[in-house]
Amino acid sequence: MTSIREKLVLIGNGMAGVGTIEQILKLGGAYDITVFGSEPHPNYNRIMLSYVLEGSKTVDDIILNDWSWYKDNGITLHTGTTVARIDGDKRQVITENGLTVDYDKVIIATGSNSFILPIPGSGREGVVGFRDIADCEAMLEAAKQYGKAAVIGGGLLGLEAAKGLVNLGMDVTVVHLMEDLMERQLDHTAASMLKAELERQGVKFAMGKQTVELTGDERVSGLRFIDGTELEAQFVVMAVGIKPNVSVAKASGIEVNRGIVVNDYLQTSLADVYSVGECTEHRGVCYGLVAPLFEQGTVLAKHLCGVETKPYEGSVVSTKLKISGVDVFSAGEFIDTPEHTVISAKDDWKRTYKKILLRDNIIVGAVLFGDVTESGSLQKLVKQGAVMTDDIYADVMGTGCCGGGGAKKTASVESMSDEEIVCGCNGVTKKAIVDAITDNGFTTVDEIKACTGATRSCGGCKPVVEQILQYVLGDGFEQSAKTGICSCTTLSRDEIVAQIRAKGLTTTKEVMNVLGWKQEEGCSKCRPAVNYYLGMIYPDTHEDEKESRFVNERMSANIQKDGTFTVVPRMYGGVTTPEDLKRIADVSIKYDVKVVKVTGGQRLDLIGIKKEDVPKVWEELDMPSGYAYAKSLRTVKTCVGSQFCRFGTQDSMSMGALLERKYERLDFPAKFKMAVNGCPRNCAESCTKDIGIVGNDGGWEVFIGGNGGIKPRIADSFCKVKTDEELVGICSAVMQYYRETGNYLERTSEWVERIGLEHIKTAILDNEEERKALAHRIDFALTQVQDPWKKMLIDGATRSALFEATEIR
Ligand SMILES: Cc1cc2nc3c(=O)[nH]c(=O)nc-3n(C[C@H](O)[C@H](O)[C@H](O)COP(=O)(O)OP(=O)(O)OC[C@H]3O[C@@H](n4cnc5c(N)ncnc54)[C@H](O)[C@@H]3O)c2cc1C
Ligand code: SF4
């Protein structure tokens, strides 16, 4: 005899609803489940839309439950189908296209819609919200066709959209009504730091502006503000907020306020109808982040499966902003009033800020900017309403604003309590992760993700989950973490390098043959990597394989989107002469250079040179290549230093030029940038360079691992030295150590994070012999390099093959 299962219908195939169904399945809930979703996709991770927009993930990458998941769990799925209403009398769910399904229980999880400002012109073509895959696709399309975009709204969503559009090459202005960004999560200091950081990354801002009209004909052409000023934009993203989607509930006669009103067991006013997610209003609050929605889902799933559960009593919301490269966190109260005791620390050099608010000595809120290492502990303390003690103070403030580097991070995993929440979005504790590893023998983050849900939503906790994995597995971790450098091989970078050395392999072909590559010829990922490793191991004998290099490196110039090239000659330490400038001007006029651009690295970029003219330009410039296309030393940025500046304590210009001359032309795993400053005022911005050098009264301080690119990172202080000679010795050792241990394409910012600052310090600073040996090896490699432009000019065959006949792909 088969038992009759109750029919459960989910309206809304999004994160909260499907999250609840997953919990029900885990608890063994015996339901026949039907899911309706308006979108044509299976359940996907909405949070990751920003990554789809910036191009680092595809739609397929962000699918949480693929089609087979529904099938395997016996769930009937109707995508592209919108539910119109619930008939409580007939106990049926009715769709807009006339489908009728009986139910015993219903969950409404219809999420929110983007709030579109009701102003003239908001219906014009080119105006979108930022909510779903369709919006994302519209943005990707717009970026191909139009130049200027405006994002209305300076909250989390607006900033993510703006950053995505900037990455797509658009000129983007964020228009915000208030004077501070994210004013509902950040205080004035953190908001100002965030704005400055995003400006650095290319986002423009129009603050304190109220948009009253979107101008244009059929398509939007601009914004008009209440003060009469205007802004040009052929594409507008409205990110001014969300509106709980209550239409099904309203049409079904269910009590609705701002959202669908529920009790502490998520029950609506209609019997057997529940609501979770952003469409839901609990005790007067509608939430807009996933963590509270999953907490609701957990209570509802238990309730529907007859498992005893505490009621849902609301959530403490914390925000960890994940705009690429900007670390911001806020939890609980964040604006200080006279009632608060404020603990704060701001570091303008590292661009970090930490603030903790106490009321009657109870921790009621926190804001972090630039370093969010303490976010997990602070979130817990705020949630618990913990009393501030000396120990807690030392724990959360002991490191100042800037965290304590890698060593502290690992130690903090060890000292975390079992109940500490690691994945805030999915409420996964350290114990749940440790148990998953020990009970199931897991060795990868993906396995932990599938079992516990940790890292599945915003992904911000992945580094901590990795550290727990490392902590539990000990030596076994490295074994398990090994993955091939690409799909052609299962060998890691270290194994390949070791095998090249051990077996004396000398060409990429030989490496691939002997080491059993699955694909004989390799691929575009492994070929340049192996070519680099060979060059690094055999600087004197390795014959560089041009065909294994990326096109810009093959051509020794950067190809532009219109097929022309850019040429960037060296200007050592950013210093030039009237004679060189005259030559650049003459050549630019003669070869009809479209634009001469001063680069961020303090030199000149000659843009728009025809392919056939490139060698002639090199010849007539008669200057060294600036390597603007290469995985090599790009620039050494300098300030004016003690030669001219009244604050300068060291001669930064001379030192910068010396370093640039010494290390130019050598291959590195990735591009490499340096800066030298005459004093700690740091005008040449050492903090974002691979090696940043700052002069002081007694000598120099060296910083490593900085990056100002797509994933900015502030450099770590490495050491202080007294003499110029010592400084060069340290630079040589760091560069060669990076050359020898870095993964191909890995910037020093990632390298330092991966192998650990302390480890690099031990290898270089605590071991004079090794430091000298590294310096000796880089000096030897440097004797082998040659200027590529000069080389190409005397190599007639390559020159004509590349610049006269070859089609570039
Ligand atoms: C770009 C972006 C970035 C974000 N970043 C973060 C972040 O960093 N951290 C964080 O915590 N949160 C973030 N969020 C918010 C988070 O994604 C939402 O809180 C979460 O997705 C809400 O889940 P939900 O299930 O309530 O709604 P949704 O995920 O919106 O799902 C609702 C689904 O129901 C469907 N639907 C609606 N009406 C009907 C109907 N009548 N019939 C059938 N189907 C219907 C909708 O089409 C939708 O697919 C972000 C959101 C966006 C858009
Ligand atoms: S960093 Fe110091 S020395 Fe260099 S320009 Fe700025 S103030 Fe002058």
Side-chain angles (χ1 to χ4, degrees):
M1 197 183 84
T2 51
S3 62
I4 297 177
R5 290 151 67 98
E6 283 202 303
K7 297 182 191 67
L8 173 65
V9 177
L10 169 66
I11 307 173
N13 189 22
M15 295 182 75
V18 177
T20 310
I21 298 292
E22 285 180 336
Q23 299 275 348
I24 291 174
L25 294 172
K26 267 195 195 152
L27 294 169
Y31 287 102
D32 274 337
I33 301 171
T34 302
V35 177
F36 288 102
S38 296
E39 293 183 73
H41 312 280
N43 177 38
Y44 63 87
N45 189 341
R46 204 169 292 283
I47 298 175
M48 295 281 167
L49 283 177
S50 323
Y51 297 108
V52 174
L53 190 60
E54 73 170 27
S56 60
K57 292 209 183 297
T58 64
V59 168
D60 281 348
D61 294 334
I62 65 166
I63 299 293
L64 289 170
N65 304 80
D66 61 14
W67 302 105
S68 60
W69 177 82
Y70 295 87
K71 211 165 148 215
D72 295 347
N73 287 290
I75 296 170
T76 308
L77 172 65
H78 300 274
T79 52
T81 309
T82 299
V83 169
R85 65 187 178 88
I86 301 163
D87 186 329
D89 296 331
K90 292 191 184 151
R91 297 176 73 79
Q92 285 181 331
V93 169
I94 299 149
T95 69
E96 279 183 352
N97 60 4
L99 199 68
T100 303
V101 173
D102 295 340
Y103 73 80
D104 294 301
K105 301 268 189 310
V106 179
I107 302 172
I108 307 178
T110 45
S112 299
N113 294 321
S114 300
F115 180 69
I116 301 292
L117 287 174
I119 52 174
S122 61
R124 289 189 207 287
E125 208 181 292
V127 182
V128 297
F130 187 18
R131 183 70 201 171
D132 53 27
I133 289 177
D135 294 333
C136 230
E137 284 168 348
M139 290 193 222
L140 290 165
E141 212 35 56
K144 285 189 205 148
Q145 296 180 45
Y146 305 98
K148 286 189 187 245
V151 175
I152 307 181
L156 176 87
L157 275 192
L159 299 179
E160 291 201 350
K163 193 61 215 315
L165 291 170
V166 164
N167 284 354
L168 290 171
M170 293 191 91
D171 175 346
V172 184
T173 305
V174 172
V175 177
H176 195 47
L177 188 60
M178 314 301 283
E179 293 298 337
D180 281 335
L181 297 174
M182 291 187 69
E183 73 283 351
R184 275 182 282 168
Q185 286 99 3
L186 301 181
D187 66 350
H188 177 68
T189 308
S192 309
M193 292 173 89
L194 174 62
K195 179 164 169 276
E197 185 61 43
L198 290 170
E199 276 169 342
R200 230 170 45 81
Q201 297 185 26
V203 181
K204 295 177 181 164
F205 291 93
M207 304 298 286
K209 290 278 186 187
Q210 184 180 351
T211 311
V212 289
E213 187 185 350
L214 299 185
T215 54
D217 297 321
E218 211 166 297
R219 185 174 186 90
V220 66
S221 64
L223 283 68
R224 183 168 299 131
F225 303 121
I226 202 161
D227 59 10
T229 56
E230 297 197 357
L231 176 76
E232 187 193 336
Q234 301 94 31
F235 188 68
V236 175
V237 180
M238 290 245 193
V240 285
I242 50 173
K243 220 173 40 177
N245 183 352
V246 294
S247 51
V248 170
K250 256 191 179 161
S252 314
I254 293 171
E255 187 190 347
V256 167
N257 197 14
R258 180 160 182 261
I260 303 168
V261 177
V262 295
N263 66 15
D264 287 358
Y265 289 93
L266 292 311
Q267 286 164 324
T268 70
S269 62
L270 186 60
D272 293 321
V273 177
Y274 299 81
S275 177
V276 286
E278 283 187 352
C279 58
T280 307
E281 180 176 321
H282 173 263
R283 299 191 188 180
V285 183
C286 296
Y287 295 96
L289 294 167
V290 288
L293 313 184
F294 290 152
E295 285 175 27
Q296 293 174 351
T298 304
V299 173
L300 176 56
K302 285 187 179 161
H303 178 74
L304 289 177
C305 293
V307 175
E308 199 181 328
T309 171
K310 281 195 206 150
Y312 174 67
E313 293 177 322
S315 303
V316 173
V317 178
S318 64
T319 309
K320 206 160 161 189
L321 178 60
K322 56 167 201 321
I323 301 178
S324 48
V326 189
D327 286 329
V328 187
F329 166 83
S330 117
E333 297 172 30
F334 57 93
I335 301 283
D336 36 300
T337 66
E339 286 170 27
H340 291 107
T341 305
V342 183
I343 306 168
S344 72
K346 183 165 179 267
D347 183 333
D348 288 333
W349 153 244
K350 291 226 171 189
R351 293 199 226 123
T352 54
Y353 171 62
K354 181 185 278 185
K355 181 172 92 171
I356 299 171
L357 289 185
L358 311 180
R359 191 184 291 127
D360 300 328
N361 209 33
I362 291 175
I363 303 171
V364 290
V367 178
L368 301 175
F369 182 92
D371 178 356
V372 292
T373 319
E374 306 297 345
S375 59
S377 345
L378 283 168
Q379 184 180 353
K380 196 180 85 184
L381 294 168
V382 172
K383 204 167 178 173
Q384 288 171 342
V387 175
M388 181 57 97
T389 61
D390 283 347
D391 283 351
I392 293 179
Y393 183 92
D395 227 29
V396 294
M397 296 302 291
T399 55
C401 313
C402 314
K408 180 176 182 296
K409 282 177 198 163
T410 325
S412 71
V413 168
E414 221 171 318
S415 60
M416 272 167 87
S417 76
D418 278 356
E419 291 319 310
E420 192 156 326
I421 299 278
V422 174
C423 171
C425 294
N426 297 281
V428 186
T429 59
K430 174 187 165 190
K431 183 171 186 311
I433 296 171
V434 171
D435 287 350
I437 299 168
T438 44
D439 294 352
N440 304 296
F442 290 157
T443 55
T444 65
V445 173
D446 279 347
E447 286 168 320
I448 296 170
K449 173 157 84 173
C451 174
T452 65
T455 77
R456 199 159 173 239
S457 299
C458 80
C461 60
K462 194 170 171 199
V464 185
V465 174
E466 271 170 354
Q467 283 158 23
I468 295 178
L469 197 53
Q470 190 168 8
Y471 159 68
V472 177
L473 296 184
D475 288 348
F477 175 69
E478 259 190 286
Q479 200 56 39
S480 65
K482 273 181 199 160
T483 47
I485 59 165
C486 67
S487 57
C488 301
T489 175
T490 53
L491 296 175
S492 68
R493 173 244 181 250
D494 290 349
E495 286 167 329
I496 294 166
V497 168
Q499 292 286 336
I500 291 174
R501 290 187 199 275
K503 298 195 160 81
L505 309 174
T506 55
T507 64
T508 50
K509 210 169 175 52
E510 203 179 1
V511 171
M512 289 168 189
N513 272 337
V514 175
L515 302 184
W517 246 240
K518 288 178 212 152
Q519 215 166 291
E520 216 180 306
E521 297 288 314
C523 67
S524 59
K525 245 183 170 177
C526 60
R527 273 201 318 267
V530 173
N531 185 44
Y532 166 75
Y533 299 138
L534 286 166
M536 177 270 291
I537 295 169
Y538 310 117
D540 49 342
T541 52
H542 175 61
E543 187 117 353
D544 185 45
E545 297 168 16
K546 274 239 177 270
E547 65 285 0
S548 294
R549 294 217 177 227
F550 293 121
V551 60
N552 288 342
E553 290 186 272
R554 288 207 303 270
M555 309 288 288
S556 299
N558 281 321
I559 187 165
Q560 303 297 298
K561 62 182 179 189
D562 63 356
T564 63
F565 285 81
T566 66
V567 165
V568 185
R570 277 252 178 248
M571 281 184 186
Y572 297 97
V575 179
T576 182
T577 61
E579 292 74 23
D580 278 352
L581 284 177
K582 184 165 181 307
R583 201 151 359 119
I584 289 172
D586 290 343
V587 170
S588 300
I589 292 167
K590 179 169 173 189
Y591 291 99
D592 200 18
V593 167
K594 283 189 196 147
V595 172
V596 180
K597 162 94 179 65
V598 179
T599 71
Q602 300 181 330
R603 53 203 190 160
L604 294 175
D605 189 352
L606 280 51
I607 305 174
I609 298 169
K610 289 191 217 75
K611 185 169 103 176
E612 60 275 20
D613 290 341
V614 171
K616 289 179 262 177
V617 169
W618 292 342
E619 199 157 24
E620 289 174 42
L621 280 175
D622 192 23
M623 291 168 77
S625 164
Y627 273 73
Y629 45 80
K631 320 259 170 283
S632 182
L633 177 64
R634 294 283 177 92
T635 55
V636 182
K637 191 170 178 174
T638 64
C639 73
V640 283
S642 61
Q643 281 192 42
F644 298 98
C645 175
R646 65 201 167 95
F647 298 113
T649 52
Q650 296 292 343
D651 184 355
S652 46
M653 278 199 295
S654 302
M655 178 51 75
L658 182 150
L659 295 172
E660 190 162 346
R661 278 184 207 283
K662 178 168 172 68
Y663 299 110
E664 65 175 328
R665 300 181 188 143
L666 195 59
D667 283 331
F668 284 86
K671 64 181 165 188
F672 199 94
K673 296 181 179 181
M674 299 175 77
V676 187
N677 288 277
C679 84
R681 284 175 182 77
N682 194 24
C683 297
E685 298 153 351
S686 281
C687 47
T688 54
K689 298 293 180 282
D690 295 281
I691 293 185
I693 297 162
V694 178
N696 55 41
D697 270 341
W700 303 96
E701 181 165 6
V702 182
F703 293 81
I704 67 168
N707 192 341
I710 197 161
K711 286 187 206 151
R713 181 180 189 275
I714 301 293
D716 293 303
S717 171
F718 187 64
C719 66
K720 287 185 177 163
V721 294
K722 291 202 170 67
T723 66
D724 291 358
E725 200 186 354
E726 281 176 87
L727 175 65
V728 173
I730 291 290
C731 290
S732 288
V734 171
M735 285 171 159
Q736 183 64 10
Y737 196 51
Y738 167 54
R739 277 174 32 88
E740 292 181 5
T741 57
N743 293 328
Y744 185 67
L745 297 186
E746 179 181 50
R747 293 294 302 269
T748 57
S749 49
E750 298 156 315
W751 173 69
V752 170
E753 293 276 331
R754 179 172 62 84
I755 66 175
L757 182 66
E758 292 309 315
H759 176 93
I760 302 169
K761 281 187 174 174
T762 309
I764 292 174
L765 302 179
D766 300 351
N767 187 341
E768 193 186 343
E769 217 171 286
E770 177 57 9
R771 185 164 71 242
K772 285 190 175 150
L774 285 163
H776 180 72
R777 291 202 286 278
I778 202 170
D779 282 346
F780 177 68
L782 283 164
T783 59
Q784 309 298 318
V785 296
Q786 239 186 316
D787 186 89
W789 292 354
K790 294 240 154 43
K791 203 167 148 195
M792 186 96 73
L793 289 176
I794 51 169
D795 177 359
T798 311
R799 175 176 167 167
S800 85
L802 284 176
F803 294 97
E804 285 156 30
T806 318
E807 195 158 290
I808 299 152
R809 270 179 285 136

